[in-house]
Structure formats: structure tokens, C-alpha cells
Amino acid sequence: MDGKTTRGSRHGEVPAAHLLAAMTADGRTITQLRVPDKTNEITCFTALLERHDLAGVTVTADALHTQRGHVRFLVEEKKAHYLLTVKANQPELHRRLRALPWNDVTARRYDREIGHGRRETRVTRALTVTGLGLNFPHAVQAARILRHRTNLATGTVSRQTVDAITDLTSQEASPERLGRLARSQWTIENRLHCVRDTTFAEDASKIRTGHGPENMATLRNLAINAPPHRRVPQHRRRPPPRLLRALHPPARPPGHRLTSVLTRSPDFATPLGIDRGQRRRRARA
């Protein structure tokens, strides 16, 4: 889950429309809700997911939705799982996660990749936290993801540390799977923000009347959800032989009855260069 503001819909004292969306791991939007003015995404979390069957589904979200009420709703009512990022908006939980003995954790996963002009290394560590007094509903494991990025053009190195918490056990989610789940949340943010802003220029759109912003966002989501266009191979572009025979019938032999009639009849023997009007007048005569 993630939210996005359509900045171009701001008009005078009316704030810009803010949309909360639920997406699959591959970036397809399945539902979307406009957040009412003077509220935030937290109040719309339950309403967005209430009508969907989430049994066995793992829901990921950013730190804003790391709320005890959201977790109880997912696990107790929807029978789902969660992986939520923990930041300073939950100060006590954040402090306790940072105090865990991460250097002694042996359950680790290393991922390396090169792309988009950078080289990235991710280290995912997982630790079972039941009985450690985190005071968070249904918390079973904590994860810490370290991201090291090197810009291949400038050589600049950056480092980011992300802490997360989940109700998945170590048997259900290894460090490798926890890393994939966290990665899927970043994919969602890329599809929701980068693609709609860069490809479709959503923030530059000035549509602001009524339900216009969310309707246009729905159309953009539809275009993103559509399967990619498959290029037809060159050898398949030629029409099938049956269609070619219908468009271009074979020539009749010289002795054919219709050929003889057309050749001998003066009404059809029109010299080259006579226009259509002359042919009509000659036919009437």
C-alpha cells in the first residue's frame, strides 16, 4: 500500500487530491481511494481493504501505517500477514529495534545487482523477537536491511538502513523472502510515483473539478496494468493465404467464358484513358 498526491489538482484554498492505493507485488493497482480533506491515509486504511479477501496475503506498507490498529485488523479480521517499516513515528518501537543485537545475527541474505547506473548491495538480517518485549501486536520477527549504493559515473557511495517488523515466523519467511517483500514495496512506490509522474506527467495535470483527479488516476492505472505490447515477428505480418486468395483471385485462363464476353463486348472494351463519366455516357448510348 502507498499513497500519492496529485499536485496539479490544487486550486486556491482547496488542497490537492491525495489517493491511497493497494497494489500487487508486480505493480498493478487493484483498488484506490481518495483520502478526504483534513484527514490522512491512516483513517482510510481499513476502508480500502475491507471488501477484499486477504487470507494468507502479506501486506506491506511504509512507516505511516505501522499502527497497532492496522495490524490487528489485518491479522485478526482479514487473516493476513504484514511487513511494516519502522521509523521515528513509532519512537519506542524504533528504539527497541535499534537496540537488538544485529551484529550477532547469523541469519543473513546478500543480494548484489548492477543497473540504472549504480551498483547495489543489500544485506538482509532477520531475528525472532517473541519474548523480547517489543510491545507490538503479533510481532514475531524483525528485519534489518542495509543498502549500499555506488554511483558508477561519479563513484559516490550511499548507505541506507531500513528496519521492519512482521508476524511471519522464520519457517514462513527466511531473510531472502523478507528481502523480496521489502523490495516489492519499493517497486510499488516506483510504479505509483515515478511511472505516473514521469511517463504520464500526473503532477502537471490541471484536472481538479469534482472526481476528475481520481478518475484520471484510474485511467493511468489501467494503462499501467495493461499487459506489455508484444511485437509481431516479421514472418507473421503477411496475411494468411486464404485471405490473399480472397483479395487477389487468380487470373482466368484465356478460354474462360467470362473472359471471352468481356473481350468481345464493345460495352466493356473501354480504351485506356477514358474517364468514368465517358464510360457512363457510352453505356447509356
Side-chain angles (χ1 to χ4, degrees):
M1 295 185 60
D2 198 21
K4 185 184 184 302
T5 300
T6 55
R7 304 183 185 278
S9 61
R10 185 187 307 275
H11 180 62
E13 299 297 327
V14 180
H18 189 81
L19 307 174
L20 180 63
M23 309 177 70
T24 60
D26 57 356
R28 292 178 298 151
T29 303
I30 59 174
T31 184
Q32 181 176 266
L33 178 66
R34 180 168 181 170
V35 178
D37 298 340
K38 301 181 181 180
T39 60
N40 56 28
E41 296 179 15
I42 298 176
T43 60
C44 299
F45 183 91
T46 302
L48 184 68
L49 300 178
E50 180 66 37
R51 58 182 178 177
H52 295 281
D53 182 11
L54 301 178
V57 176
T58 301
V59 178
T60 64
D62 55 22
L64 179 63
H65 296 287
T66 308
Q67 306 290 333
R68 288 168 171 79
H70 293 356
V71 167
R72 293 190 180 97
F73 166 74
L74 290 174
V75 177
E76 298 173 9
E77 296 186 29
K78 306 301 291 183
K79 308 303 179 184
H81 302 287
Y82 67 87
L83 177 72
L84 301 175
T85 306
V86 179
K87 292 184 179 180
N89 63 321
Q90 294 284 344
E92 184 62 22
L93 179 62
H94 191 219
R95 182 187 66 80
R96 294 185 180 185
L97 284 181
R98 295 183 53 149
L100 293 175
W102 293 109
N103 292 332
D104 300 331
V105 174
T106 58
R108 304 184 182 186
R109 167 72 180 185
Y110 293 85
D111 294 286
R112 297 178 177 88
E113 62 181 23
I114 298 178
H116 305 285
R118 62 176 180 263
R119 180 173 60 249
E120 180 174 338
T121 301
R122 296 185 300 275
V123 184
T124 305
R125 307 179 187 185
L127 179 64
T128 301
V129 295
T130 52
L132 297 183
L134 290 185
N135 191 26
F136 197 78
H138 307 286
V140 177
Q141 283 195 101
R144 168 163 287 189
I145 304 172
L146 278 70
R147 303 170 67 186
H148 299 266
R149 288 182 175 179
T150 303
N151 190 308
L152 299 179
T154 63
T156 304
V157 179
S158 62
R159 174 177 174 175
Q160 181 184 19
T161 301
V162 179
D163 292 326
I165 196 167
T166 179
D167 69 318
L168 295 168
T169 65
S170 58
Q171 290 77 21
E172 295 173 322
S174 63
E176 179 182 2
R177 186 187 177 196
L178 293 177
R180 290 201 309 266
L181 290 172
R183 185 76 170 170
S184 68
Q185 178 63 25
W186 300 331
T187 302
I188 290 172
E189 293 176 354
N190 173 71
R191 284 293 187 96
L192 191 64
H193 294 270
C194 182
V195 175
R196 277 167 51 173
D197 287 338
T198 304
T199 306
F200 294 96
E202 184 172 71
D203 282 348
S205 175
K206 298 302 180 182
I207 298 176
R208 59 175 66 97
T209 305
H211 299 284
E214 55 262 45
N215 290 340
M216 289 303 301
T218 300
L219 294 177
R220 297 184 187 102
N221 291 333
L222 182 63
I224 296 174
N225 292 352
H229 175 69
R230 295 180 59 186
R231 184 177 180 180
V232 181
Q234 187 70 27
H235 67 279
R236 295 185 180 179
R237 295 182 182 180
R238 181 178 175 84
R242 182 181 301 175
L243 181 59
L244 288 177
R245 287 195 298 269
L247 296 177
H248 304 286
R252 299 179 178 86
H256 193 273
R257 179 179 179 184
L258 182 58
T259 305
S260 302
V261 171
L262 294 178
T263 304
R264 298 171 183 174
S265 176
D267 294 335
F268 293 96
T270 303
L272 186 64
I274 298 180
D275 60 8
R276 187 177 302 175
Q278 290 177 323
R279 288 199 298 270
R280 292 199 200 98
R281 290 192 295 271
R282 177 172 293 184
R284 287 196 298 268

